[in-house]
């Protein structure tokens, strides 16, 4: 249904990628899709092999000044302090209540420097914030937040912080017989309630991080709840593992923007089949943000590994 | 593609379930599907909510005298002894080499009695058998085995040991807008190579157990390999967790045959939506096998929890 709806522009022969500027990145995308479809005169790739995977934060939507989900969980921490003010003496609740951007920024900076002590404090608080909550309640909270909250500096709702050129690419792939998955380091169940509407990707095709879940039977549906036990983050070397677990195939296209996407991009290669690995470069301080922190290794290996760099500043006519 | 191919019988108005005998089980199946489609005059259930989950061993294909995958792994153990005869002094390689049905039977019996010491020895041997193997090599081995091996007593290839009434049910569901998943306690990657052909269920809709996997990057696709570390078995309370993780919805229909399917059947309920929970009863010693071991708790709760019992002997005109 979604792919039919999204197929419109291609079906009538108009440009499927109007927000992409002419250039090497756009040429690589068009040539890859044409090659897979056999539009270049070669043998088409079987439809069931046409699998694409996309990181979400910083690849499909804006992740600065903080990931959307961090805004979501900070509000939950504040809510917890309101219910139990004693929590406000401890981190991460204190930082959440005081809107202490410095503590959060140092947590991220220390994480990138290899020191995860504060990150673990933050993660433990987040897990406590949802422990015992059913997956249905979590879904409702996520949906409610995403439908109402806005970006802190861009002056637009979060749901309008997706990158238009990437949404066009997803639609072009769907119209070309691809099945696309979101392989996010962020929360799987956080994104699912809006993935169809934002990206044309249904909830069952969202892969991502999660708390460990627990099921308790009651003969009447049972309760599936979040526990305070962390599961492995869907990042770095875990991404190929989770993609295989979910899909049972290697993808032909992978798109990311950070070091945590490197393994996934590496994984998107099949003997004898075309592949496209896209690394989005955040170099557009005017329209979005300009940063390379957390992407240094990915940028360094892109040329050697045959990845296609996509410059937000140069390759995109429109960002949002 | 598969759903169109499978839709034939319903589309032309013929009986979609010719291998089911008239009776309460068949009536429950037909009434449920009609209710979901709105064929009974009620509001149809939205297509995206039409999710069904099926156990595999003993629900979609025969699991006696031993699960198909156990035959597969025993052959791998024998292969290991051939390469390294010293392994033959140790279990489980000794039992595999000597075709020691007694050791294997006692392992299963002790497992059901709550003593997993032998089961852990067997599992460690199995994990060692595939440690370091890439997922692609495992897939090739599984496909090769399933394409050639035959059932030890039924006189037919394993690929013809699927239950025809259940394959008809899967086709009827696909033709009725359902998306079906296989939620197997057995190995996910073992079944995937044949799931489309046997059941019309593509590999990405197979959920099941697996070894822990590891990814190693090499800039040229990387290697995704089995490790000797066990992951959680996709059984019992894990089934609802893995179904949610993969699908992001509760199913409306769940079918199983053992205690390990109880949580999954419980999970298949949604407020305000119809549901069908099927428990297959193996009571047909003549055409298949008659056994209740491992299903005692499920049989005891079926009536209380509103599950529909399907008697292989009484409800199925044809088994294979």
């Amino acid at each position: 249904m979604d792919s039919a709806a999204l197929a419109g522009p291609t079906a009538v022969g108009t440009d499927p990628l109007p927000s992409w500027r002419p250039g090497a990145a756009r040429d690589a995308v068009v040539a890859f899709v044409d090659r897979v479809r056999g539009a270049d005169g070669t043998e088409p790739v079987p439809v069931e092999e046409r699998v694409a995977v996309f990181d979400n934060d910083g690849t499909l939507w804006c992740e600065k000044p903080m990931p959307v989900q961090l805004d979501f969980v900070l509000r939950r921490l504040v809510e917890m302090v309101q219910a139990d003010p004693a929590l406000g003496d401890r981190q991460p609740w204190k930082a959440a209540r005081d809107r202490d951007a410095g503590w959060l920024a140092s947590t991220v900076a220390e994480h990138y420097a290899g020191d995860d002590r504060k990150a673990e404090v933050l993660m433990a608080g987040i897990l406590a914030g949802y422990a015992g909550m059913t997956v249905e309640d979590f879904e409702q909270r996520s949906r409610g937040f995403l439908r109402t909250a806005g970006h802190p500096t861009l002056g637009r709702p979060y749901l309008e912080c997706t990158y238009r050129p990437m949404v066009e690419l997803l639609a072009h792939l769907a119209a070309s017989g691809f099945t696309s998955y979101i392989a996010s380091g962020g929360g799987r169940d956080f994104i699912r309630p809006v993935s169809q509407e934002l990206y044309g990707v249904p909830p069952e095709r969202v892969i991502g991080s999660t708390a460990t879940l627990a099921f308790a039977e009651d003969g009447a549906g049972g309760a599936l709840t979040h526990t305070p036990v962390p599961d492995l983050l869907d990042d770095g070397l875990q991404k190929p593992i989770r993609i295989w677990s979910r899909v049972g195939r290697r993808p032909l296209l992978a798109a990311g923007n950070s070091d945590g996407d490197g393994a996934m991009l590496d994984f998107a290669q099949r003997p004898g089949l075309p592949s496209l690995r896209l690394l989005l470069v955040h170099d557009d301080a005017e329209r979005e943000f300009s940063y390379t922190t957390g992407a240094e290794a990915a940028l360094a290996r892109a040329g050697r590994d045959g990845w296609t760099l996509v410059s937000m500043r140069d390759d995109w006519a429109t960002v949002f």
Side-chain angles (χ1 to χ4, degrees), chain A residues 149-209:
Chain A
H151 190 279
T153 65
L154 290 171
R156 49 174 63 235
Y158 275 132
L159 292 186
E160 294 176 17
C161 291
T162 57
Y163 304 135
R164 184 176 297 193
M166 296 306 277
V167 174
E168 289 172 1
L169 174 56
L170 282 162
H172 184 45
L173 291 170
S176 304
F178 274 84
T179 303
S180 293
Y181 293 80
I182 295 173
S184 176
R188 178 192 69 206
D189 290 359
F190 176 67
I191 306 164
R192 276 177 162 169
V194 294
S195 63
Q196 176 71 46
E197 150 185 7
L198 291 185
Y199 306 124
V201 173
E204 65 268 23
R205 287 201 250 123
V206 177
I207 310 169
S209 300

Side-chain angles (χ1 to χ4, degrees), chain A residues 103-128:
Chain A
W103 188 85
L104 294 166
S106 66
T107 300
V108 173
E110 288 167 23
H111 163 71
Y112 282 127
D115 178 355
D116 269 336
R117 284 176 298 174
K118 277 192 192 166
E120 279 160 19
V121 168
L122 176 60
M123 185 55 72
I126 294 170
L127 289 166

Side-chain angles (χ1 to χ4, degrees), chain A residues 217-231:
Chain A
E217 295 187 69
D218 61 10
L224 188 57
T225 53
H226 289 239
T227 80
V229 180
D231 197 358

Side-chain angles (χ1 to χ4, degrees), chain A residues 65-80:
Chain A
M66 63 180 165
V68 181
Q69 192 171 3
L70 184 54
D71 188 359
F72 174 68
V73 300
L74 289 177
R75 294 177 195 216
R76 171 68 185 142
L77 295 179
V78 170
E79 187 183 84
M80 293 172 78

Side-chain angles (χ1 to χ4, degrees), chain A residues 198-278:
Chain A
L198 291 185
Y199 306 124
V201 173
E204 65 268 23
R205 287 201 250 123
V206 177
I207 310 169
S209 300
T210 180
T212 296
L213 302 176
F215 185 69
E217 295 187 69
D218 61 10
L224 188 57
T225 53
H226 289 239
T227 80
V229 180
D231 197 358
L232 292 171
L233 279 182
D234 186 16
D235 204 35
L237 296 174
Q238 283 296 313
K239 285 204 176 191
I241 294 171
R242 296 207 177 198
I243 290 167
W244 177 269
S245 297
R246 292 287 285 278
V247 184
R249 298 180 200 275
R250 285 177 186 253
L252 300 183
L253 184 158
N257 76 302
S258 77
D259 295 347
D261 299 317
M264 174 175 81
L265 267 62
D266 194 11
F267 188 56
Q269 292 181 79
R270 299 274 301 275
L273 292 178
S275 76
L276 181 67
R277 280 82 45 80
L278 298 176

Side-chain angles (χ1 to χ4, degrees), chain A residues 1-9 11 174-175:
Chain A
M1 197 151 42
D2 47 299
S3 75
L6 294 167

